[in-house]
Amino acid sequence: MVGGGEGAFIGAVHRMAAALDGDWQLAAGAFSTDAGRNQRTGELLGLDARRIYPSLDAMIAQERAMPADQRIDAVAIVTPNYLHAPMAIAALNAGFDVFCEKPMAMSVAEAKAIADAAEVSGRRFALAFTYSGYPLIEEARVRIARGDLGKIRLVQVEYLQGWLSLPIDTDGNKQAEWRTDPARAGIGGCLGDIGTHAFQLAEHVSGLRVQSVSADVATHVSGRRLDDDVSALLRFDGGARGTLKATQVAAGEENGLRLRIHGERGGLEWAQMEPNTLTLRWLDRPTEVVRAGGPGLHDGATALLRTPAGHPEGYIEAFANLYRAFAAAIRGNGDRWFPGVTDGLRTMRFIEAVIENAGSDKKWTPIDSGETA
């Protein structure tokens, strides 16, 4: 692991998710540029002192020199965004698979460089789009893909948080500080942090690609250097229309990710804070409520569950599903999907299209520039 030292949030989540199914063991790390914090983190995690490294470069050099059956298999990158590309490329070029936090990079150009490194090295690259690992998200995706709702017309996704409603980024909150710093977060604040989650989920579940966006980007907290509120109209291929709302200044909101998709015959709804329920609404019959572990799930969704119906599974388990699929791919014994290069490139193009559109007089801005990835 690179990053995720004491005081960090997402590193601990990655470690819990990776360990849940017994597929992964944390063997080495470079957790912080602060030597004391780095050492303390490694010791608390029970690592061999010889494998607590001062930097990624040092870790790569020493691990590559070890016998193949002893060195690390993959690198988890849980740093601020500006380090994703250089670290991912270095690890891929050194022959290690990579599991990276989102967004993929700071720009489309950096994302393409990661994609090129993955292709040349032949190594795997996974992205932490956690919410796509929920069992009922997979159930929703399959039902849409097999045509249950008919032709898709409407896609609505929202991600509401309230934790940045006050200027805590100037009051010493480290998680807020780097996320609102363009040098470390990139050109999108809320847009890059949670807007990418919403966008990836909308495309993944609907099976449709967004062609163009018409967007409004706002910064409500005075002095903040990046956006904290984003609204976008979406035009999908096939004629579907959509809306995306992402904000971190909706005071009182916790983690309100919600997806609604409607076709010509019916619609479905899923909310991250009630992840074990999928609601289906129809033109010609009563509303259905599908529950995780209950009857009617297809095999792909059932495979993502670990406990019987009525035993809640949530965020860590969804995250663990991505790590489990990543491990299966490395072992060559499974074809489970996990988010990777394609999702990363799509979300980076979405960020740049939204920022371009919001800063121009154009009504619509295309996401693709003739490329397919």
Side-chain angles (χ1 to χ4, degrees), residues 73-77 84 87-92 96-101 114 123-127 326 330 338:
D73 298 297
V75 177
I77 299 172
H84 291 180
M87 287 184 167
I89 291 168
L92 290 165
F96 297 111
D97 296 300
V98 171
F99 196 114
C100 188
E101 253 306 314
I114 295 173
R123 308 316 301 177
R124 296 159 190 84
F125 178 82
L127 271 170
F326 188 48
I330 291 172
F338 57 84

mmCIF file with all atom_site columns, all heavy atoms in Angstrom, residues 73-77 84 87-92 96-101 114 123-127 326 330 338:
data_model
loop_
_atom_site.group_PDB
_atom_site.id
_atom_site.type_symbol
_atom_site.label_atom_id
_atom_site.label_alt_id
_atom_site.label_comp_id
_atom_site.label_asym_id
_atom_site.label_entity_id
_atom_site.label_seq_id
_atom_site.pdbx_PDB_ins_code
_atom_site.Cartn_x
_atom_site.Cartn_y
_atom_site.Cartn_z
_atom_site.occupancy
_atom_site.B_iso_or_equiv
_atom_site.pdbx_formal_charge
_atom_site.auth_seq_id
_atom_site.auth_comp_id
_atom_site.auth_asym_id
_atom_site.auth_atom_id
_atom_site.pdbx_PDB_model_num
ATOM 1   N N   . ASP A 1 73  ? 2.326   -8.826  -4.820  1.00 0.00 ? 73  ASP A N   1
ATOM 2   C CA  . ASP A 1 73  ? 1.627   -9.100  -6.076  1.00 0.00 ? 73  ASP A CA  1
ATOM 3   C C   . ASP A 1 73  ? 1.041   -7.840  -6.704  1.00 0.00 ? 73  ASP A C   1
ATOM 4   O O   . ASP A 1 73  ? 0.906   -7.754  -7.921  1.00 0.00 ? 73  ASP A O   1
ATOM 5   C CB  . ASP A 1 73  ? 0.485   -10.095 -5.839  1.00 0.00 ? 73  ASP A CB  1
ATOM 6   C CG  . ASP A 1 73  ? 0.994   -11.436 -5.341  1.00 0.00 ? 73  ASP A CG  1
ATOM 7   O OD1 . ASP A 1 73  ? 1.739   -12.084 -6.082  1.00 0.00 ? 73  ASP A OD1 1
ATOM 8   O OD2 . ASP A 1 73  ? 0.659   -11.815 -4.211  1.00 0.00 ? 73  ASP A OD2 1
ATOM 9   N N   . ALA A 1 74  ? 0.657   -6.902  -5.859  1.00 0.00 ? 74  ALA A N   1
ATOM 10  C CA  . ALA A 1 74  ? -0.033  -5.707  -6.356  1.00 0.00 ? 74  ALA A CA  1
ATOM 11  C C   . ALA A 1 74  ? 0.218   -4.549  -5.413  1.00 0.00 ? 74  ALA A C   1
ATOM 12  O O   . ALA A 1 74  ? 0.607   -4.723  -4.258  1.00 0.00 ? 74  ALA A O   1
ATOM 13  C CB  . ALA A 1 74  ? -1.533  -5.966  -6.476  1.00 0.00 ? 74  ALA A CB  1
ATOM 14  N N   . VAL A 1 75  ? -0.032  -3.341  -5.932  1.00 0.00 ? 75  VAL A N   1
ATOM 15  C CA  . VAL A 1 75  ? 0.116   -2.109  -5.154  1.00 0.00 ? 75  VAL A CA  1
ATOM 16  C C   . VAL A 1 75  ? -1.237  -1.419  -5.073  1.00 0.00 ? 75  VAL A C   1
ATOM 17  O O   . VAL A 1 75  ? -1.887  -1.193  -6.099  1.00 0.00 ? 75  VAL A O   1
ATOM 18  C CB  . VAL A 1 75  ? 1.139   -1.160  -5.806  1.00 0.00 ? 75  VAL A CB  1
ATOM 19  C CG1 . VAL A 1 75  ? 1.220   0.155   -5.029  1.00 0.00 ? 75  VAL A CG1 1
ATOM 20  C CG2 . VAL A 1 75  ? 2.511   -1.814  -5.879  1.00 0.00 ? 75  VAL A CG2 1
ATOM 21  N N   . ALA A 1 76  ? -1.667  -1.105  -3.854  1.00 0.00 ? 76  ALA A N   1
ATOM 22  C CA  . ALA A 1 76  ? -2.871  -0.296  -3.645  1.00 0.00 ? 76  ALA A CA  1
ATOM 23  C C   . ALA A 1 76  ? -2.438  1.150   -3.440  1.00 0.00 ? 76  ALA A C   1
ATOM 24  O O   . ALA A 1 76  ? -1.641  1.454   -2.543  1.00 0.00 ? 76  ALA A O   1
ATOM 25  C CB  . ALA A 1 76  ? -3.640  -0.792  -2.428  1.00 0.00 ? 76  ALA A CB  1
ATOM 26  N N   . ILE A 1 77  ? -2.970  2.046   -4.277  1.00 0.00 ? 77  ILE A N   1
ATOM 27  C CA  . ILE A 1 77  ? -2.609  3.471   -4.217  1.00 0.00 ? 77  ILE A CA  1
ATOM 28  C C   . ILE A 1 77  ? -3.773  4.225   -3.588  1.00 0.00 ? 77  ILE A C   1
ATOM 29  O O   . ILE A 1 77  ? -4.865  4.310   -4.162  1.00 0.00 ? 77  ILE A O   1
ATOM 30  C CB  . ILE A 1 77  ? -2.297  4.017   -5.618  1.00 0.00 ? 77  ILE A CB  1
ATOM 31  C CG1 . ILE A 1 77  ? -1.103  3.269   -6.215  1.00 0.00 ? 77  ILE A CG1 1
ATOM 32  C CG2 . ILE A 1 77  ? -2.010  5.523   -5.559  1.00 0.00 ? 77  ILE A CG2 1
ATOM 33  C CD1 . ILE A 1 77  ? -0.827  3.605   -7.673  1.00 0.00 ? 77  ILE A CD1 1
ATOM 34  N N   . HIS A 1 84  ? -1.637  9.763   -8.183  1.00 0.00 ? 84  HIS A N   1
ATOM 35  C CA  . HIS A 1 84  ? -2.158  8.539   -8.782  1.00 0.00 ? 84  HIS A CA  1
ATOM 36  C C   . HIS A 1 84  ? -1.394  8.144   -10.045 1.00 0.00 ? 84  HIS A C   1
ATOM 37  O O   . HIS A 1 84  ? -0.953  6.991   -10.182 1.00 0.00 ? 84  HIS A O   1
ATOM 38  C CB  . HIS A 1 84  ? -3.641  8.677   -9.108  1.00 0.00 ? 84  HIS A CB  1
ATOM 39  C CG  . HIS A 1 84  ? -4.524  8.738   -7.907  1.00 0.00 ? 84  HIS A CG  1
ATOM 40  N ND1 . HIS A 1 84  ? -5.893  8.867   -7.995  1.00 0.00 ? 84  HIS A ND1 1
ATOM 41  C CD2 . HIS A 1 84  ? -4.243  8.702   -6.575  1.00 0.00 ? 84  HIS A CD2 1
ATOM 42  C CE1 . HIS A 1 84  ? -6.417  8.896   -6.771  1.00 0.00 ? 84  HIS A CE1 1
ATOM 43  N NE2 . HIS A 1 84  ? -5.435  8.803   -5.905  1.00 0.00 ? 84  HIS A NE2 1
ATOM 44  N N   . MET A 1 87  ? 2.510   7.241   -9.613  1.00 0.00 ? 87  MET A N   1
ATOM 45  C CA  . MET A 1 87  ? 2.674   6.015   -8.842  1.00 0.00 ? 87  MET A CA  1
ATOM 46  C C   . MET A 1 87  ? 2.145   4.800   -9.586  1.00 0.00 ? 87  MET A C   1
ATOM 47  O O   . MET A 1 87  ? 2.778   3.735   -9.602  1.00 0.00 ? 87  MET A O   1
ATOM 48  C CB  . MET A 1 87  ? 1.981   6.161   -7.491  1.00 0.00 ? 87  MET A CB  1
ATOM 49  C CG  . MET A 1 87  ? 2.709   7.075   -6.544  1.00 0.00 ? 87  MET A CG  1
ATOM 50  S SD  . MET A 1 87  ? 1.931   7.125   -4.909  1.00 0.00 ? 87  MET A SD  1
ATOM 51  C CE  . MET A 1 87  ? 3.231   7.937   -3.954  1.00 0.00 ? 87  MET A CE  1
ATOM 52  N N   . ALA A 1 88  ? 0.984   4.938   -10.213 1.00 0.00 ? 88  ALA A N   1
ATOM 53  C CA  . ALA A 1 88  ? 0.416   3.815   -10.956 1.00 0.00 ? 88  ALA A CA  1
ATOM 54  C C   . ALA A 1 88  ? 1.320   3.410   -12.108 1.00 0.00 ? 88  ALA A C   1
ATOM 55  O O   . ALA A 1 88  ? 1.569   2.219   -12.338 1.00 0.00 ? 88  ALA A O   1
ATOM 56  C CB  . ALA A 1 88  ? -0.972  4.169   -11.472 1.00 0.00 ? 88  ALA A CB  1
ATOM 57  N N   . ILE A 1 89  ? 1.822   4.384   -12.836 1.00 0.00 ? 89  ILE A N   1
ATOM 58  C CA  . ILE A 1 89  ? 2.688   4.095   -13.973 1.00 0.00 ? 89  ILE A CA  1
ATOM 59  C C   . ILE A 1 89  ? 3.976   3.423   -13.515 1.00 0.00 ? 89  ILE A C   1
ATOM 60  O O   . ILE A 1 89  ? 4.443   2.450   -14.122 1.00 0.00 ? 89  ILE A O   1
ATOM 61  C CB  . ILE A 1 89  ? 2.978   5.388   -14.762 1.00 0.00 ? 89  ILE A CB  1
ATOM 62  C CG1 . ILE A 1 89  ? 1.684   5.864   -15.460 1.00 0.00 ? 89  ILE A CG1 1
ATOM 63  C CG2 . ILE A 1 89  ? 4.086   5.182   -15.781 1.00 0.00 ? 89  ILE A CG2 1
ATOM 64  C CD1 . ILE A 1 89  ? 1.766   7.268   -16.021 1.00 0.00 ? 89  ILE A CD1 1
ATOM 65  N N   . ALA A 1 90  ? 4.554   3.911   -12.415 1.00 0.00 ? 90  ALA A N   1
ATOM 66  C CA  . ALA A 1 90  ? 5.781   3.305   -11.892 1.00 0.00 ? 90  ALA A CA  1
ATOM 67  C C   . ALA A 1 90  ? 5.549   1.861   -11.482 1.00 0.00 ? 90  ALA A C   1
ATOM 68  O O   . ALA A 1 90  ? 6.360   0.966   -11.783 1.00 0.00 ? 90  ALA A O   1
ATOM 69  C CB  . ALA A 1 90  ? 6.307   4.119   -10.711 1.00 0.00 ? 90  ALA A CB  1
ATOM 70  N N   . ALA A 1 91  ? 4.442   1.599   -10.797 1.00 0.00 ? 91  ALA A N   1
ATOM 71  C CA  . ALA A 1 91  ? 4.149   0.241   -10.341 1.00 0.00 ? 91  ALA A CA  1
ATOM 72  C C   . ALA A 1 91  ? 3.855   -0.687  -11.519 1.00 0.00 ? 91  ALA A C   1
ATOM 73  O O   . ALA A 1 91  ? 4.329   -1.834  -11.562 1.00 0.00 ? 91  ALA A O   1
ATOM 74  C CB  . ALA A 1 91  ? 2.974   0.253   -9.371  1.00 0.00 ? 91  ALA A CB  1
ATOM 75  N N   . LEU A 1 92  ? 3.071   -0.219  -12.484 1.00 0.00 ? 92  LEU A N   1
ATOM 76  C CA  . LEU A 1 92  ? 2.750   -1.034  -13.660 1.00 0.00 ? 92  LEU A CA  1
ATOM 77  C C   . LEU A 1 92  ? 4.020   -1.352  -14.448 1.00 0.00 ? 92  LEU A C   1
ATOM 78  O O   . LEU A 1 92  ? 4.244   -2.502  -14.860 1.00 0.00 ? 92  LEU A O   1
ATOM 79  C CB  . LEU A 1 92  ? 1.742   -0.303  -14.546 1.00 0.00 ? 92  LEU A CB  1
ATOM 80  C CG  . LEU A 1 92  ? 0.323   -0.168  -13.981 1.00 0.00 ? 92  LEU A CG  1
ATOM 81  C CD1 . LEU A 1 92  ? -0.462  0.877   -14.764 1.00 0.00 ? 92  LEU A CD1 1
ATOM 82  C CD2 . LEU A 1 92  ? -0.411  -1.513  -13.997 1.00 0.00 ? 92  LEU A CD2 1
ATOM 83  N N   . PHE A 1 96  ? 3.922   -4.760  -11.480 1.00 0.00 ? 96  PHE A N   1
ATOM 84  C CA  . PHE A 1 96  ? 2.949   -5.011  -10.426 1.00 0.00 ? 96  PHE A CA  1
ATOM 85  C C   . PHE A 1 96  ? 1.552   -4.582  -10.877 1.00 0.00 ? 96  PHE A C   1
ATOM 86  O O   . PHE A 1 96  ? 1.389   -3.536  -11.525 1.00 0.00 ? 96  PHE A O   1
ATOM 87  C CB  . PHE A 1 96  ? 3.316   -4.247  -9.153  1.00 0.00 ? 96  PHE A CB  1
ATOM 88  C CG  . PHE A 1 96  ? 4.627   -4.670  -8.555  1.00 0.00 ? 96  PHE A CG  1
ATOM 89  C CD1 . PHE A 1 96  ? 5.724   -3.826  -8.570  1.00 0.00 ? 96  PHE A CD1 1
ATOM 90  C CD2 . PHE A 1 96  ? 4.775   -5.933  -7.986  1.00 0.00 ? 96  PHE A CD2 1
ATOM 91  C CE1 . PHE A 1 96  ? 6.936   -4.211  -8.031  1.00 0.00 ? 96  PHE A CE1 1
ATOM 92  C CE2 . PHE A 1 96  ? 5.983   -6.333  -7.442  1.00 0.00 ? 96  PHE A CE2 1
ATOM 93  C CZ  . PHE A 1 96  ? 7.082   -5.474  -7.459  1.00 0.00 ? 96  PHE A CZ  1
ATOM 94  N N   . ASP A 1 97  ? 0.537   -5.370  -10.533 1.00 0.00 ? 97  ASP A N   1
ATOM 95  C CA  . ASP A 1 97  ? -0.839  -4.960  -10.742 1.00 0.00 ? 97  ASP A CA  1
ATOM 96  C C   . ASP A 1 97  ? -1.166  -3.827  -9.780  1.00 0.00 ? 97  ASP A C   1
ATOM 97  O O   . ASP A 1 97  ? -0.550  -3.700  -8.708  1.00 0.00 ? 97  ASP A O   1
ATOM 98  C CB  . ASP A 1 97  ? -1.780  -6.143  -10.519 1.00 0.00 ? 97  ASP A CB  1
ATOM 99  C CG  . ASP A 1 97  ? -1.548  -7.256  -11.522 1.00 0.00 ? 97  ASP A CG  1
ATOM 100 O OD1 . ASP A 1 97  ? -1.703  -6.991  -12.727 1.00 0.00 ? 97  ASP A OD1 1
ATOM 101 O OD2 . ASP A 1 97  ? -1.196  -8.377  -11.104 1.00 0.00 ? 97  ASP A OD2 1
ATOM 102 N N   . VAL A 1 98  ? -2.157  -3.014  -10.133 1.00 0.00 ? 98  VAL A N   1
ATOM 103 C CA  . VAL A 1 98  ? -2.456  -1.805  -9.356  1.00 0.00 ? 98  VAL A CA  1
ATOM 104 C C   . VAL A 1 98  ? -3.939  -1.705  -9.059  1.00 0.00 ? 98  VAL A C   1
ATOM 105 O O   . VAL A 1 98  ? -4.777  -1.880  -9.954  1.00 0.00 ? 98  VAL A O   1
ATOM 106 C CB  . VAL A 1 98  ? -1.992  -0.533  -10.119 1.00 0.00 ? 98  VAL A CB  1
ATOM 107 C CG1 . VAL A 1 98  ? -2.501  0.729   -9.432  1.00 0.00 ? 98  VAL A CG1 1
ATOM 108 C CG2 . VAL A 1 98  ? -0.474  -0.507  -10.225 1.00 0.00 ? 98  VAL A CG2 1
ATOM 109 N N   . PHE A 1 99  ? -4.263  -1.421  -7.804  1.00 0.00 ? 99  PHE A N   1
ATOM 110 C CA  . PHE A 1 99  ? -5.625  -1.063  -7.380  1.00 0.00 ? 99  PHE A CA  1
ATOM 111 C C   . PHE A 1 99  ? -5.546  0.374   -6.876  1.00 0.00 ? 99  PHE A C   1
ATOM 112 O O   . PHE A 1 99  ? -4.884  0.649   -5.884  1.00 0.00 ? 99  PHE A O   1
ATOM 113 C CB  . PHE A 1 99  ? -6.102  -1.998  -6.262  1.00 0.00 ? 99  PHE A CB  1
ATOM 114 C CG  . PHE A 1 99  ? -7.591  -1.959  -6.030  1.00 0.00 ? 99  PHE A CG  1
ATOM 115 C CD1 . PHE A 1 99  ? -8.376  -3.071  -6.297  1.00 0.00 ? 99  PHE A CD1 1
ATOM 116 C CD2 . PHE A 1 99  ? -8.213  -0.821  -5.549  1.00 0.00 ? 99  PHE A CD2 1
ATOM 117 C CE1 . PHE A 1 99  ? -9.757  -3.050  -6.093  1.00 0.00 ? 99  PHE A CE1 1
ATOM 118 C CE2 . PHE A 1 99  ? -9.580  -0.784  -5.345  1.00 0.00 ? 99  PHE A CE2 1
ATOM 119 C CZ  . PHE A 1 99  ? -10.354 -1.903  -5.611  1.00 0.00 ? 99  PHE A CZ  1
ATOM 120 N N   . CYS A 1 100 ? -6.224  1.288   -7.577  1.00 0.00 ? 100 CYS A N   1
ATOM 121 C CA  . CYS A 1 100 ? -6.048  2.720   -7.336  1.00 0.00 ? 100 CYS A CA  1
ATOM 122 C C   . CYS A 1 100 ? -7.331  3.381   -6.866  1.00 0.00 ? 100 CYS A C   1
ATOM 123 O O   . CYS A 1 100 ? -8.427  3.018   -7.299  1.00 0.00 ? 100 CYS A O   1
ATOM 124 C CB  . CYS A 1 100 ? -5.580  3.388   -8.630  1.00 0.00 ? 100 CYS A CB  1
ATOM 125 S SG  . CYS A 1 100 ? -5.102  5.121   -8.462  1.00 0.00 ? 100 CYS A SG  1
ATOM 126 N N   . GLU A 1 101 ? -7.187  4.367   -5.997  1.00 0.00 ? 101 GLU A N   1
ATOM 127 C CA  . GLU A 1 101 ? -8.326  5.196   -5.631  1.00 0.00 ? 101 GLU A CA  1
ATOM 128 C C   . GLU A 1 101 ? -8.772  6.026   -6.832  1.00 0.00 ? 101 GLU A C   1
ATOM 129 O O   . GLU A 1 101 ? -8.007  6.266   -7.758  1.00 0.00 ? 101 GLU A O   1
ATOM 130 C CB  . GLU A 1 101 ? -7.966  6.124   -4.459  1.00 0.00 ? 101 GLU A CB  1
ATOM 131 C CG  . GLU A 1 101 ? -8.582  5.729   -3.142  1.00 0.00 ? 101 GLU A CG  1
ATOM 132 C CD  . GLU A 1 101 ? -10.098 5.575   -3.208  1.00 0.00 ? 101 GLU A CD  1
ATOM 133 O OE1 . GLU A 1 101 ? -10.785 6.435   -3.782  1.00 0.00 ? 101 GLU A OE1 1
ATOM 134 O OE2 . GLU A 1 101 ? -10.602 4.579   -2.690  1.00 0.00 ? 101 GLU A OE2 1
ATOM 135 N N   . ILE A 1 114 ? -1.654  6.190   -17.938 1.00 0.00 ? 114 ILE A N   1
ATOM 136 C CA  . ILE A 1 114 ? -1.842  4.990   -17.116 1.00 0.00 ? 114 ILE A CA  1
ATOM 137 C C   . ILE A 1 114 ? -2.345  3.843   -17.978 1.00 0.00 ? 114 ILE A C   1
ATOM 138 O O   . ILE A 1 114 ? -1.858  2.707   -17.872 1.00 0.00 ? 114 ILE A O   1
ATOM 139 C CB  . ILE A 1 114 ? -2.836  5.265   -15.974 1.00 0.00 ? 114 ILE A CB  1
ATOM 140 C CG1 . ILE A 1 114 ? -2.270  6.294   -14.994 1.00 0.00 ? 114 ILE A CG1 1
ATOM 141 C CG2 . ILE A 1 114 ? -3.175  3.974   -15.233 1.00 0.00 ? 114 ILE A CG2 1
ATOM 142 C CD1 . ILE A 1 114 ? -3.268  6.738   -13.931 1.00 0.00 ? 114 ILE A CD1 1
ATOM 143 N N   . ARG A 1 123 ? -0.178  -5.663  -17.173 1.00 0.00 ? 123 ARG A N   1
ATOM 144 C CA  . ARG A 1 123 ? -0.653  -5.780  -15.794 1.00 0.00 ? 123 ARG A CA  1
ATOM 145 C C   . ARG A 1 123 ? -2.088  -5.259  -15.696 1.00 0.00 ? 123 ARG A C   1
ATOM 146 O O   . ARG A 1 123 ? -2.580  -4.538  -16.558 1.00 0.00 ? 123 ARG A O   1
ATOM 147 C CB  . ARG A 1 123 ? 0.242   -5.010  -14.826 1.00 0.00 ? 123 ARG A CB  1
ATOM 148 C CG  . ARG A 1 123 ? 1.717   -5.323  -14.912 1.00 0.00 ? 123 ARG A CG  1
ATOM 149 C CD  . ARG A 1 123 ? 2.029   -6.796  -15.028 1.00 0.00 ? 123 ARG A CD  1
ATOM 150 N NE  . ARG A 1 123 ? 1.509   -7.573  -13.907 1.00 0.00 ? 123 ARG A NE  1
ATOM 151 C CZ  . ARG A 1 123 ? 1.594   -8.889  -13.809 1.00 0.00 ? 123 ARG A CZ  1
ATOM 152 N NH1 . ARG A 1 123 ? 2.134   -9.590  -14.789 1.00 0.00 ? 123 ARG A NH1 1
ATOM 153 N NH2 . ARG A 1 123 ? 1.114   -9.517  -12.752 1.00 0.00 ? 123 ARG A NH2 1
ATOM 154 N N   . ARG A 1 124 ? -2.749  -5.591  -14.605 1.00 0.00 ? 124 ARG A N   1
ATOM 155 C CA  . ARG A 1 124 ? -4.145  -5.204  -14.390 1.00 0.00 ? 124 ARG A CA  1
ATOM 156 C C   . ARG A 1 124 ? -4.219  -3.908  -13.586 1.00 0.00 ? 124 ARG A C   1
ATOM 157 O O   . ARG A 1 124 ? -3.420  -3.680  -12.679 1.00 0.00 ? 124 ARG A O   1
ATOM 158 C CB  . ARG A 1 124 ? -4.896  -6.324  -13.675 1.00 0.00 ? 124 ARG A CB  1
ATOM 159 C CG  . ARG A 1 124 ? -4.988  -7.600  -14.476 1.00 0.00 ? 124 ARG A CG  1
ATOM 160 C CD  . ARG A 1 124 ? -5.253  -8.800  -13.609 1.00 0.00 ? 124 ARG A CD  1
ATOM 161 N NE  . ARG A 1 124 ? -5.108  -10.043 -14.358 1.00 0.00 ? 124 ARG A NE  1
ATOM 162 C CZ  . ARG A 1 124 ? -3.942  -10.651 -14.570 1.00 0.00 ? 124 ARG A CZ  1
ATOM 163 N NH1 . ARG A 1 124 ? -2.828  -10.136 -14.080 1.00 0.00 ? 124 ARG A NH1 1
ATOM 164 N NH2 . ARG A 1 124 ? -3.895  -11.769 -15.260 1.00 0.00 ? 124 ARG A NH2 1
ATOM 165 N N   . PHE A 1 125 ? -5.234  -3.123  -13.912 1.00 0.00 ? 125 PHE A N   1
ATOM 166 C CA  . PHE A 1 125 ? -5.444  -1.850  -13.228 1.00 0.00 ? 125 PHE A CA  1
ATOM 167 C C   . PHE A 1 125 ? -6.903  -1.772  -12.792 1.00 0.00 ? 125 PHE A C   1
ATOM 168 O O   . PHE A 1 125 ? -7.815  -1.867  -13.620 1.00 0.00 ? 125 PHE A O   1
ATOM 169 C CB  . PHE A 1 125 ? -5.117  -0.673  -14.156 1.00 0.00 ? 125 PHE A CB  1
ATOM 170 C CG  . PHE A 1 125 ? -5.345  0.677   -13.530 1.00 0.00 ? 125 PHE A CG  1
ATOM 171 C CD1 . PHE A 1 125 ? -4.386  1.244   -12.705 1.00 0.00 ? 125 PHE A CD1 1
ATOM 172 C CD2 . PHE A 1 125 ? -6.519  1.375   -13.764 1.00 0.00 ? 125 PHE A CD2 1
ATOM 173 C CE1 . PHE A 1 125 ? -4.595  2.494   -12.128 1.00 0.00 ? 125 PHE A CE1 1
ATOM 174 C CE2 . PHE A 1 125 ? -6.741  2.616   -13.190 1.00 0.00 ? 125 PHE A CE2 1
ATOM 175 C CZ  . PHE A 1 125 ? -5.769  3.172   -12.371 1.00 0.00 ? 125 PHE A CZ  1
ATOM 176 N N   . ALA A 1 126 ? -7.132  -1.627  -11.493 1.00 0.00 ? 126 ALA A N   1
ATOM 177 C CA  . ALA A 1 126 ? -8.491  -1.535  -10.937 1.00 0.00 ? 126 ALA A CA  1
ATOM 178 C C   . ALA A 1 126 ? -8.690  -0.181  -10.277 1.00 0.00 ? 126 ALA A C   1
ATOM 179 O O   . ALA A 1 126 ? -7.739  0.428   -9.775  1.00 0.00 ? 126 ALA A O   1
ATOM 180 C CB  . ALA A 1 126 ? -8.715  -2.647  -9.912  1.00 0.00 ? 126 ALA A CB  1
ATOM 181 N N   . LEU A 1 127 ? -9.939  0.283   -10.284 1.00 0.00 ? 127 LEU A N   1
ATOM 182 C CA  . LEU A 1 127 ? -10.292 1.564   -9.672  1.00 0.00 ? 127 LEU A CA  1
ATOM 183 C C   . LEU A 1 127 ? -11.359 1.369   -8.606  1.00 0.00 ? 127 LEU A C   1
ATOM 184 O O   . LEU A 1 127 ? -12.257 0.543   -8.759  1.00 0.00 ? 127 LEU A O   1
ATOM 185 C CB  . LEU A 1 127 ? -10.815 2.542   -10.730 1.00 0.00 ? 127 LEU A CB  1
ATOM 186 C CG  . LEU A 1 127 ? -9.780  3.410   -11.430 1.00 0.00 ? 127 LEU A CG  1
ATOM 187 C CD1 . LEU A 1 127 ? -10.431 4.123   -12.610 1.00 0.00 ? 127 LEU A CD1 1
ATOM 188 C CD2 . LEU A 1 127 ? -9.171  4.434   -10.481 1.00 0.00 ? 127 LEU A CD2 1
ATOM 189 N N   . PHE A 1 326 ? -10.662 -8.575  -8.350  1.00 0.00 ? 326 PHE A N   1
ATOM 190 C CA  . PHE A 1 326 ? -9.288  -8.232  -8.735  1.00 0.00 ? 326 PHE A CA  1
ATOM 191 C C   . PHE A 1 326 ? -8.356  -9.414  -8.466  1.00 0.00 ? 326 PHE A C   1
ATOM 192 O O   . PHE A 1 326 ? -7.536  -9.788  -9.312  1.00 0.00 ? 326 PHE A O   1
ATOM 193 C CB  . PHE A 1 326 ? -8.862  -6.999  -7.949  1.00 0.00 ? 326 PHE A CB  1
ATOM 194 C CG  . PHE A 1 326 ? -7.544  -6.394  -8.350  1.00 0.00 ? 326 PHE A CG  1
ATOM 195 C CD1 . PHE A 1 326 ? -7.237  -6.158  -9.675  1.00 0.00 ? 326 PHE A CD1 1
ATOM 196 C CD2 . PHE A 1 326 ? -6.629  -6.024  -7.380  1.00 0.00 ? 326 PHE A CD2 1
ATOM 197 C CE1 . PHE A 1 326 ? -6.026  -5.577  -10.035 1.00 0.00 ? 326 PHE A CE1 1
ATOM 198 C CE2 . PHE A 1 326 ? -5.420  -5.440  -7.718  1.00 0.00 ? 326 PHE A CE2 1
ATOM 199 C CZ  . PHE A 1 326 ? -5.111  -5.215  -9.053  1.00 0.00 ? 326 PHE A CZ  1
ATOM 200 N N   . ILE A 1 330 ? -6.160  -11.805 -11.190 1.00 0.00 ? 330 ILE A N   1
ATOM 201 C CA  . ILE A 1 330 ? -4.719  -12.026 -11.099 1.00 0.00 ? 330 ILE A CA  1
ATOM 202 C C   . ILE A 1 330 ? -4.405  -13.520 -11.064 1.00 0.00 ? 330 ILE A C   1
ATOM 203 O O   . ILE A 1 330 ? -3.440  -13.984 -11.682 1.00 0.00 ? 330 ILE A O   1
ATOM 204 C CB  . ILE A 1 330 ? -4.161  -11.312 -9.847  1.00 0.00 ? 330 ILE A CB  1
ATOM 205 C CG1 . ILE A 1 330 ? -4.230  -9.790  -10.052 1.00 0.00 ? 330 ILE A CG1 1
ATOM 206 C CG2 . ILE A 1 330 ? -2.720  -11.750 -9.554  1.00 0.00 ? 330 ILE A CG2 1
ATOM 207 C CD1 . ILE A 1 330 ? -3.883  -8.988  -8.823  1.00 0.00 ? 330 ILE A CD1 1
ATOM 208 N N   . PHE A 1 338 ? -14.621 -5.871  -12.688 1.00 0.00 ? 338 PHE A N   1
ATOM 209 C CA  . PHE A 1 338 ? -14.283 -4.823  -11.723 1.00 0.00 ? 338 PHE A CA  1
ATOM 210 C C   . PHE A 1 338 ? -13.980 -3.556  -12.518 1.00 0.00 ? 338 PHE A C   1
ATOM 211 O O   . PHE A 1 338 ? -13.560 -3.613  -13.674 1.00 0.00 ? 338 PHE A O   1
ATOM 212 C CB  . PHE A 1 338 ? -13.103 -5.225  -10.824 1.00 0.00 ? 338 PHE A CB  1
ATOM 213 C CG  . PHE A 1 338 ? -11.841 -5.595  -11.566 1.00 0.00 ? 338 PHE A CG  1
ATOM 214 C CD1 . PHE A 1 338 ? -10.943 -4.626  -11.992 1.00 0.00 ? 338 PHE A CD1 1
ATOM 215 C CD2 . PHE A 1 338 ? -11.559 -6.924  -11.830 1.00 0.00 ? 338 PHE A CD2 1
ATOM 216 C CE1 . PHE A 1 338 ? -9.783  -4.968  -12.662 1.00 0.00 ? 338 PHE A CE1 1
ATOM 217 C CE2 . PHE A 1 338 ? -10.401 -7.283  -12.503 1.00 0.00 ? 338 PHE A CE2 1
ATOM 218 C CZ  . PHE A 1 338 ? -9.506  -6.300  -12.926 1.00 0.00 ? 338 PHE A CZ  1
#
